[in-house]
Amino acid sequence: MAILFDSTSRLFTLKTNHSMYQMKADRYGVLLHTWFGMKSSAFDYSYRISYADRGFSGNPYDAEDDRTYSLDVLPQEFPTYGSGDYRSTALKIRYPDGTSACELRYLKHEINEGKYSLPGLPAIYADSADTLSDTLIITLEDTRHMFYVHLYYGVMEGLDIITRAVCVENHSEADIYIENIQSACIDYLHGNFDLHTFYGRHVKERNYQRAPLTHGIQSIGSTRGTSSHQYNPFLILSDRDTTEDHGNCYGFSLLYSGDFLGSAELDQYDQTRLLLGIHPDNFCFCIKPQERFYAPETAMAYSCHGLGELSRIFHRTYRSHLCRGKWTNERRPVLLNAWEGVYFDFDGKKLVQMAKDAANLGVELFVMDDGWFGKRDLDVSGLGDWIVNEEKLGCSLLELSDAIHDLGLQFGIWFEPEGINEDSNLYRTHPDWVLKVPGKSPTRSRLQLLLDFSREDVRDYIFTHICKVLDSARIEYLKWDLNRSLADLYSAALPAERQGEVMHRYVLGLYDMLEKLIQRYPDMLIEGCSGGGGRFDAGMLYYTPQIWCSDDTDAIERLSIQYGTSFGYPVSTMGSHVSHCPNEQTGRIAPLHTRATVAMSGTFGYELDVNKISEEEKEIVKSQIIEFRKYYSLIQYGNYYRLTNPDQTTAYHGWEFVAADGSEALLCLVALQIHPNGPGYWMRLKGLKEDSVYVIDGREYPGDVLMNGGLLLPQATEEYQSFRIHIIEKSNF
Ligand code: GLA
């Protein structure tokens, strides 16, 4: 059992293969957090807590005249607003009498075999014997007897992952309101941390940032109704001297696709509190008597071997215990998406011609992007009218999909189910179905509004129309896009006192519809997208095993975007395509080989008009697709190693995929600068077997030598030249 409970000391110890998490219900029933980090014996770590009479840090009444006991100082598992803890807290309730002061005390717990799931919300799952998992549910009681808080813990031993989620249950006779609920709170007794976050903007997502934690609160978050391009709901705390390969670090990933807040507070006693959960700004949720509210799951991991190992823990978990369905383990088709090739300017004939050319190159799936429905020749109209524009296509969707299948290709199609243009039949019929604040003109973005996905009737309508389209033709892939942030959070279907629920209900509605879609079309490959990577989060990955990483397809820009993304997410989830040169977004020219090197470190596909590339390039594309298939398992299921940071490298940027058994590896390199008569460069490899011999281009090297001395890199002779170097263990050669 991975969960130990000592009834005398009321100590809970959760153990994975390499990490340990500990809590203790103390003499007053307060649930203290005593440890998260390196695994050891289940000794009571509360010995590390010091008690002192501290000025202006008050004492709870149950502590009687003990002036050394203060919730303002103690490390806690689920601190509450108004309890005497003046730091950021995990829960703020508005009681029926308008007050908010809340105290929680331990009531009971249960330990169950297997991993819990959450109604209507994504959750990591364990589906095989190799993923031993257990669930602990600790119930805390509100001292005013209005509600219970159930703290959920999932312990995935072999994966080295611990999850947390929270459920609040109203057992009073009145409505209570949750004004803030954070899914995870981790209190550390020390504060010498660096905080690692991922910031960005449209076409430049998930830039990596590392900064020392200083006194005060440092936070990232989103109030855009999506996880956003601006910040990703994934954070890392590490020791100051932690590197890729050494040192302590702790990762926190929120499985949620809406507003979020991640904060780290260094307090007056140099202690650190990390909180992660729904952003409270657009949130106030009413729980009626006997109702329950579930806050989303946070996945947590600890590594004492640096950031690289921490990432690999998340990669393994998300690849096969978050992504679900057929495409979790099956090879995904190499696709060609028509978007950057033709944008809105196409008809059926043109698409079939593109598909024909693509099929000749070895492409397996052809995707028709935006523009096939309603009146949609530009992005200003038609959104919401999910009716095939046969006039534009010059044929029915079935005829088009048949023609594409006749070429030996699968067929995919784009939707933006949540979006609506005012210039659409749907808006003209149901103007009240959009998010819009009464008396205020709505905020437009890309000249579109959003449907109120918190409403079941609205979702049902869209679902029915999407299914009609999907059932009318042979469709194996669906791209689910969203091209704006939420605004005007008002739902015509909710009373005034429940308007604070709209954002969260919207996200629950989105999940509900995605779940229905995957239940109805279990074989369909669904790719998430939000203007590229605006909703690239672990919540979406539960429904869509891959997400378009960025609308920026420039291979050199993508180095940073995919590098940042790799900290929390595996390459199997990163939608990545080779596009035209000069690049549409930056005008940069990068060799076709390099564009493929970068796209292959993702789901791999093309986003161009094959007609516009030369015969010589077509031959190169053919060989790229063959090469990608050859390396597929190594890339998608191998261990991923970051070798350099592209934003701090002036020579070669490198990364590496290593087979789980160490029998082969693929080294990818991109020359970022080129100099005549330049110096020699070496790259130290990682993850190989020290005592094995490896063969590279016919030459033999011991594994330990490649990892210490490094590999002498080839001289680049072309700007942004890249290299894909296969490394094979001699015994497998
Ligand atoms: C978004 C997506 C693109 C493309 C367009 C279509 O920007 O990220 O890939 O689908 O929408 O309008």
Side-chain angles (χ1 to χ4, degrees):
M1 202 31 124
I3 300 171
L4 309 170
F5 177 65
D6 181 315
S7 55
T8 320
S9 55
R10 298 201 292 185
L11 186 73
F12 298 91
T13 307
L14 283 43
K15 287 188 179 188
T16 71
N17 281 355
H18 302 99
S19 66
M20 193 170 97
Y21 190 99
Q22 199 185 64
M23 300 158 274
K24 177 181 178 144
D26 73 6
R27 58 191 183 281
Y28 306 117
V30 170
L31 192 61
L32 301 178
H33 174 80
T34 53
W35 184 251
F36 178 35
M38 181 84 86
K39 186 175 179 173
S40 69
S41 63
F43 188 75
D44 184 348
Y45 271 69
S46 66
Y47 79 90
R48 300 168 75 239
I49 301 172
S50 58
Y51 292 84
D53 181 358
R54 303 189 188 272
F56 291 84
S57 288
N59 320 109
Y61 215 76
D62 15 358
E64 297 182 348
D65 56 0
D66 181 357
R67 290 162 47 155
T68 69
Y69 187 93
S70 175
L71 296 180
D72 196 23
V73 186
L74 284 169
Q76 292 163 76
E77 199 54 28
F78 202 64
T80 52
Y81 182 88
S83 61
D85 186 340
Y86 294 90
R87 294 168 286 186
S88 306
T89 52
L91 184 71
K92 185 175 182 193
I93 293 284
R94 180 151 45 85
Y95 290 85
D97 61 4
T99 59
S100 290
C102 168
E103 282 179 324
L104 297 177
R105 297 291 183 263
Y106 169 79
L107 180 69
K108 59 178 182 179
H109 73 272
E110 58 185 89
I111 297 173
N112 304 320
E113 248 177 54
K115 165 74 173 52
Y116 66 84
S117 57
L118 298 171
L121 283 166
I124 288 168
Y125 63 90
D127 63 350
S128 54
D130 66 320
T131 348
L132 279 180
S133 60
D134 294 302
T135 293
L136 165 68
I137 305 172
I138 301 180
T139 301
L140 308 176
E141 188 182 26
D142 166 46
T143 54
R144 292 160 81 179
H145 307 294
M146 299 294 283
F147 63 92
Y148 298 117
V149 170
H150 307 286
L151 299 178
Y152 284 64
Y153 298 84
V155 186
M156 321 280 289
E157 252 184 290
L159 292 173
D160 275 321
I161 283 276
I162 294 175
T163 64
R164 285 186 67 169
V166 187
C167 168
V168 179
E169 184 184 342
N170 184 357
H171 74 120
S172 74
E173 275 155 23
D175 295 355
I176 55 170
Y177 288 82
I178 305 177
E179 294 188 332
N180 179 22
I181 184 161
Q182 298 294 296
S183 299
C185 170
I186 309 289
D187 275 352
Y188 297 87
L189 291 172
H190 62 290
N192 268 342
F193 284 122
D194 277 355
L195 177 65
H196 309 238
T197 53
F198 303 88
Y199 71 95
R201 55 182 184 269
H202 180 224
V203 288
K204 193 84 176 88
E205 299 90 336
R206 291 172 296 286
N207 299 280
Y208 172 61
Q209 173 171 270
R210 174 178 186 162
L213 210 58
T214 52
H215 284 96
I217 302 169
Q218 283 145 70
S219 71
I220 53 151
S222 164
T223 54
R224 295 169 174 270
T226 58
S227 46
S228 87
H229 300 86
Q230 284 68 21
Y231 296 102
N232 194 265
F234 177 67
L235 307 92
I236 299 170
L237 278 179
S238 77
D239 286 351
R240 292 266 155 87
D241 56 0
T242 294
T243 64
E244 268 296 306
D245 305 301
H246 303 284
N248 292 312
C249 47
Y250 311 79
F252 305 91
S253 175
L254 187 66
L255 281 69
Y256 191 61
S257 311
D259 289 3
F260 77 94
L261 180 66
S263 65
E265 178 171 4
L266 184 58
D267 74 11
Q268 55 181 337
Y269 299 109
D270 300 341
Q271 306 181 116
T272 304
R273 170 167 292 173
L274 184 124
L275 289 162
L276 184 59
I278 293 177
H279 201 298
D281 272 11
N282 292 322
F283 179 85
C284 179
F285 215 95
C286 171
I287 330 180
K288 299 238 164 253
Q290 310 315 318
E291 277 183 5
R292 287 173 156 228
F293 175 88
Y294 288 87
E297 179 166 287
T298 295
M300 313 185 295
Y302 160 77
S303 157
C304 63
H305 297 298
L307 302 164
E309 184 53 31
L310 188 75
S311 294
R312 287 186 288 279
I313 293 173
F314 281 102
H315 294 173
R316 281 191 285 273
T317 307
Y318 285 0
R319 204 159 47 205
S320 48
H321 297 278
L322 175 61
C323 295
R324 293 179 292 168
K326 172 177 165 175
W327 297 105
T328 310
N329 294 316
E330 212 157 291
R331 184 172 76 74
R332 310 213 191 128
V334 174
L335 69 77
L336 183 128
N337 182 306
W339 178 244
E340 284 199 22
V342 292
Y343 294 106
F344 291 105
D345 180 20
F346 61 84
D347 57 18
K349 251 191 184 159
K350 200 167 181 179
L351 294 182
V352 174
Q353 186 55 49
M354 277 179 96
K356 198 170 177 181
D357 294 331
N360 286 336
L361 305 183
V363 166
E364 297 160 305
L365 162 69
F366 180 81
V367 180
M368 172 172 70
D369 210 273
D370 196 354
W372 55 267
F373 52 90
K375 193 182 90 188
R376 183 82 172 165
D377 289 323
L378 274 178
D379 61 7
V380 298
S381 64
L383 213 50
D385 295 338
W386 300 113
I387 294 167
V388 180
N389 187 342
E390 295 190 354
E391 206 180 306
K392 174 170 177 173
L393 290 181
C395 60
S396 71
L397 195 61
L398 180 61
E399 284 164 337
L400 178 63
S401 69
D402 276 348
I404 285 168
H405 280 90
D406 287 348
L407 297 166
L409 292 177
Q410 297 180 340
F411 181 56
I413 188 169
W414 178 96
F415 282 96
E416 189 177 343
E418 300 146 83
I420 182 167
N421 285 120
E422 286 153 279
D423 185 1
S424 68
N425 290 333
L426 183 62
Y427 186 77
R428 282 183 281 273
T429 322
H430 294 290
D432 54 323
W433 279 10
V434 302
L435 292 176
K436 196 159 83 178
V437 170
K440 173 191 173 291
S441 306
T443 304
R444 290 183 178 134
S445 185
R446 209 194 194 199
L447 275 189
Q448 69 185 68
L449 304 178
L450 287 174
L451 286 164
D452 180 357
F453 255 50
S454 71
R455 283 174 64 166
E456 201 175 354
D457 55 342
V458 175
R459 295 198 308 270
D460 282 351
Y461 176 93
I462 295 294
F463 185 69
T464 306
H465 280 75
I466 289 180
C467 291
K468 259 191 199 156
V469 174
L470 295 178
D471 294 344
S472 75
R474 294 157 71 191
I475 300 173
E476 285 91 3
Y477 163 104
L478 184 154
K479 179 171 166 188
W480 181 304
D481 205 346
L482 169 67
N483 277 305
R484 58 161 294 170
S485 303
L486 275 65
D488 303 301
L489 293 176
Y490 178 88
S491 172
L494 289 174
E497 68 276 13
R498 304 204 77 146
Q499 291 300 328
E501 301 175 15
V502 176
M503 184 286 302
H504 183 60
R505 284 182 181 276
Y506 182 103
V507 178
L508 293 179
L510 166 73
Y511 290 157
D512 174 62
M513 186 152 150
L514 281 163
E515 185 64 40
K516 283 193 180 119
L517 203 62
I518 61 174
Q519 295 305 334
R520 182 164 166 151
Y521 303 101
D523 291 343
M524 178 110 43
L525 175 58
I526 308 181
E527 177 152 356
C529 178
S530 177
R535 200 158 54 185
F536 199 115
D537 56 66
M540 284 306 283
L541 289 177
Y542 190 60
Y543 306 93
T544 69
Q546 60 191 57
I547 302 176
W548 184 225
C549 206
S550 177
D551 274 346
D552 186 347
T553 58
D554 177 323
I556 305 308
E557 293 265 295
R558 275 289 187 121
L559 293 177
S560 305
I561 296 170
Q562 294 180 194
Y563 171 81
T565 308
S566 80
F567 279 83
Y569 307 93
V571 295
S572 59
T573 64
M574 295 183 209
S576 197
H577 302 163
V578 173
S579 63
H580 278 298
C581 241
N583 180 265
E584 294 273 329
Q585 293 85 36
T586 60
R588 195 195 317 257
I589 294 176
L592 183 53
H593 188 269
T594 301
R595 284 177 269 152
T597 301
V598 177
M600 278 184 195
S601 298
T603 57
F604 194 53
Y606 292 81
E607 184 141 345
L608 42 74
D609 186 349
V610 185
N611 279 312
K612 292 186 188 145
I613 64 174
S614 69
E615 289 307 313
E616 192 194 339
E617 285 179 318
K618 284 183 187 163
E619 289 309 310
I620 298 176
V621 169
K622 268 188 202 165
S623 62
Q624 288 173 347
I625 293 175
I626 293 169
E627 191 184 342
F628 178 67
R629 289 205 198 117
K630 175 177 146 197
Y631 292 140
Y632 185 84
S633 301
L634 183 54
I635 293 174
Q636 303 294 318
Y637 307 116
N639 289 321
Y640 179 82
Y641 289 86
R642 291 179 291 266
L643 301 181
T644 56
N645 174 343
D647 300 318
Q648 288 173 4
T649 310
T650 49
Y652 288 80
H653 173 50
W655 64 98
E656 189 192 356
F657 302 96
V658 183
D661 63 1
S663 59
E664 60 171 332
L666 180 69
L667 170 64
C668 299
L669 300 164
V670 177
L672 293 178
Q673 278 185 21
I674 186 158
H675 301 288
N677 192 22
Y681 294 109
W682 296 264
M683 189 74 77
R684 284 190 174 140
L685 303 187
K686 294 182 185 176
L688 302 177
K689 290 194 248 177
E690 285 183 3
D691 45 10
S692 270
V693 172
Y694 289 88
V695 183
I696 304 175
D697 282 335
R699 196 167 163 182
E700 294 183 7
Y701 304 83
D704 56 353
V705 169
L706 286 172
M707 293 193 287
N708 290 317
L711 180 72
L712 178 63
L713 303 186
Q715 276 290 338
T717 51
E718 187 189 3
E719 190 168 37
Y720 302 125
Q721 191 172 353
S722 75
F723 303 91
R724 301 189 285 270
I725 300 173
H726 197 193
I727 300 160
I728 310 164
E729 195 182 10
K730 193 179 170 193
S731 50
N732 286 298
F733 198 67

